[in-house]
Amino acid sequence: MMQNGGELLVQSLVGLGATKAFGVPGESYLAVLDALHDTGGQLDFVLCRNEGGAGFMAAAWGKLTGSPGICMVTRGPGATNAAIGVHTAMQDSVPMILFVGQVGTDMKGREAFQEIDYPAMYGRVAKWAVEIDDVERIPEILARAWKTAMTGRPGPVVVALPENMLTSRSDAAPLGPLAKIAEPQPDPDAVQEARAILGAAKRPVILYGGCNWSDAGRAALQEFAEASDIPVVTAFRFADRFDNNSPVFCGEAGVGMVPSVKRLIGEADVILAINNRFGENSTDGYTLLDVPIPKQRLIHVHGAESELGKVYQPALGIQAGHDAFAKALAEVPVKGDWGAWRQEGRAAYEAAFDLPDLPSPVDMGKVMAHLRAVLPEDAIVTNGAGNFAIWPGKFIKYGPSMRHIAPQSGAMGYGVPAAIAAKIAHPGREVVCFTGDGDFQMNCQELASAAQAGAQPIILILNNGIYGTIRAHQEQHYPARVSGTTMVSPDFAALARAYGFHGERVETTDDFAAAYERARAAKGGAVLDLAISEEALTPRVTLSQMREAALEAQKG
């Protein structure tokens, strides 16, 4: 049957198993939008208000589901707006496919209206960027894009769609489900060598990363770690991939890394790193391990050969799928005299939840204690970027069924779109977004997308009137010289009500519990605007203390 390129693309996405596409419409891909008219209930188009929000939703979908998040935008401005989602998906190592409308092939190279060379623009940002010039090749290139996004180190793929290619007709058959590509299996001798290296250690640590773990792989890793009594540390923003209630879980290696985690990594004599790409945040600026040869004996396991030795040269590098390696490792635990080492790490992790009273109308330490008590065991928590992110990042114990969806890239504005995507994926689960007043205003317009999609989460705005992370850096490096970090914001509760959400200002700590219950009961989602003092910038150090310390250092 003859069909145009838009129909062939959409039917192929349906055959591959895509169920949602996030995007903003554009005249450059009208044939695709027309084809989506007939796929309601199979492949739904989630209408967004900005391409950046759509890109974040697709990236969050990929992180949450393990299947490529689909984003559709128009050429030029649409593509540049969506770039933040692609960058976030790349740093998070999550599968995503961004489809971009393109000028017709007969106009390329003339700087036509909104023309961009997308393989050139995205070539160093995405895992792969390609343009489909021939309608007959849609199934071939889409199959490769899907496979590329999913395998090795998962990541985003950008596919440009020239307008005249989409309106051309073809009798090519649309794609169906692709055959599963098995993950690389570990060499048995390498697994034995890894066990031997761990068994000879005095202070071993397991450092894991990545969101794309299967339940069986996660269970196997936990089984091995607990049977071997080895402390486990998560890479930045992957705490939800290991049961935080396990006695071997010792915290997160990420922004604001606590001293106990720094000690575990820095003083370890053996580090077993699984599915970890060794980013800046998980290595404390590449200081906890020497580059290129760490003083710790490093066993690095990753499914992508390109990640092995990229920054650190391992004592043993194993190209293998993390799930397959964990299952093989769990068959035989290792034993050693490091029980006290693990106990110290766990005790420090538990002690970090004990906080002093904070100098703020709403004390986030007490708010988090309440949330730890009431959040369902399958809750989904999201956040964007800012100093507020320490609260969902370090003060929730993520159980085996909870999810934490947050950007490794430190992208502001991610939390609200991610929460909407999570609520679309799991409408029956409690979805809670933590956001700051600056972070919220990056994508607050997506509340309209949430209302239209019937996917309204609970949003907590930690409102301190400043860009807190940047103010902290200002006070540390240029104390008492505030510049460009103080905000005047709207009435967030009123704004929320304008979008059909329950909106409420929470002025004191004592008011929070009742307000949260009202938020839960609200059928149209809720926004709670929390009164936070700028002094309570971190859980243990005030803004004034930062400033005073920096001023004293300048005197010295």
Side-chain angles (χ1 to χ4, degrees), residues 6 46 50 69 89 113 145 162 207 238 283 297 307 389 406 438 505 520 522 529:
V46 179
N50 180 274
F113 180 58
L207 173 64
F238 293 123
T283 58
R297 295 194 73 187
E307 292 301 313
R505 171 76 170 175
R520 282 175 142 176
D529 179 17

Side-chain angles (χ1 to χ4, degrees), residues 263-491:
R263 177 172 177 253
L264 281 169
I265 296 173
E267 296 184 10
D269 57 354
V270 173
I271 297 176
L272 171 58
I274 308 177
N275 203 30
N276 178 21
R277 67 177 177 85
F278 284 111
E280 173 189 352
N281 293 322
S282 296
T283 58
D284 198 27
Y286 302 103
T287 62
L288 295 179
L289 292 83
D290 296 337
V291 180
I293 310 294
K295 63 181 182 294
Q296 306 92 333
R297 295 194 73 187
L298 175 62
I299 307 166
H300 193 186
V301 182
H302 206 286
E305 175 272 336
S306 59
E307 292 301 313
L308 300 175
K310 185 172 78 173
V311 179
Y312 297 109
Q313 302 306 310
L316 175 62
I318 304 175
Q319 185 183 359
H322 48 281
D323 289 324
F325 179 82
K327 292 172 189 175
L329 196 64
E331 293 176 3
V332 181
V334 297
K335 299 296 181 181
D337 187 22
W338 50 66
W341 163 256
R342 193 275 307 160
Q343 291 170 7
E344 289 174 12
R346 179 65 185 183
Y349 169 75
E350 293 283 6
F353 289 89
D354 296 327
L355 292 173
D357 291 344
L358 299 184
S360 177
V362 175
D363 183 329
M364 283 305 299
K366 293 180 172 58
V367 166
M368 297 311 296
H370 178 74
L371 289 175
R372 286 196 300 275
V374 303
L375 282 177
E377 60 181 20
D378 66 346
I380 302 172
V381 176
T382 76
N383 62 263
N387 65 292
F388 69 87
I390 195 171
W391 296 110
K394 290 185 169 59
F395 291 92
I396 292 177
K397 290 183 179 179
Y398 292 92
S401 300
M402 291 183 73
R403 293 304 309 268
H404 182 208
I405 309 298
Q408 278 210 324
S409 65
M412 292 182 68
Y414 176 93
V416 170
I420 296 167
K423 199 67 178 173
I424 290 172
H426 297 286
R429 292 170 68 171
E430 189 164 311
V431 178
V432 183
C433 171
F434 286 76
T435 183
D437 41 339
D439 181 79
F440 178 70
Q441 291 180 85
M442 294 277 182
N443 271 312
C444 59
Q445 74 282 347
E446 298 302 340
L447 295 187
S449 305
Q452 184 167 349
Q456 297 103 315
I458 297 172
I459 298 171
L460 307 180
I461 303 176
L462 280 67
N463 185 354
N464 61 7
I466 60 174
Y467 284 109
T469 300
I470 311 307
R471 176 66 66 82
H473 288 299
Q474 265 184 347
E475 296 292 5
Q476 290 167 344
H477 298 284
Y478 302 95
R481 294 178 57 81
V482 175
S483 176
T485 53
T486 301
M487 282 186 294
V488 175
S489 296
D491 182 335

Side-chain angles (χ1 to χ4, degrees), residues 152-326:
R153 174 185 165 187
V157 173
V158 178
V159 181
L161 307 169
E163 189 172 357
N164 60 339
M165 184 277 294
L166 289 175
T167 56
S168 299
R169 302 188 73 79
S170 168
D171 61 359
L175 290 169
L178 297 180
K180 179 181 178 181
I181 296 179
E183 62 179 334
Q185 297 297 304
D187 175 46
D189 290 341
V191 176
Q192 284 297 98
E193 187 176 353
R195 282 200 191 93
I197 294 173
L198 286 168
K202 294 182 179 178
R203 297 179 303 280
V205 169
I206 296 173
L207 173 64
Y208 75 90
C211 60
N212 53 329
W213 287 82
S214 69
D215 289 343
R218 294 169 57 215
L221 179 62
Q222 184 168 340
E223 178 186 346
F224 173 78
E226 290 179 351
S228 303
D229 203 26
I230 296 176
V232 174
V233 173
T234 172
F236 185 42
R237 288 183 170 160
F238 293 123
D240 63 324
R241 300 292 75 202
F242 196 97
D243 184 359
N244 296 183
N245 299 298
S246 168
V248 300
F249 184 79
C250 296
E252 180 199 63
V255 173
M257 196 183 308
V258 296
S260 62
V261 173
K262 287 184 182 181
R263 177 172 177 253
L264 281 169
I265 296 173
E267 296 184 10
D269 57 354
V270 173
I271 297 176
L272 171 58
I274 308 177
N275 203 30
N276 178 21
R277 67 177 177 85
F278 284 111
E280 173 189 352
N281 293 322
S282 296
T283 58
D284 198 27
Y286 302 103
T287 62
L288 295 179
L289 292 83
D290 296 337
V291 180
I293 310 294
K295 63 181 182 294
Q296 306 92 333
R297 295 194 73 187
L298 175 62
I299 307 166
H300 193 186
V301 182
H302 206 286
E305 175 272 336
S306 59
E307 292 301 313
L308 300 175
K310 185 172 78 173
V311 179
Y312 297 109
Q313 302 306 310
L316 175 62
I318 304 175
Q319 185 183 359
H322 48 281
D323 289 324
F325 179 82

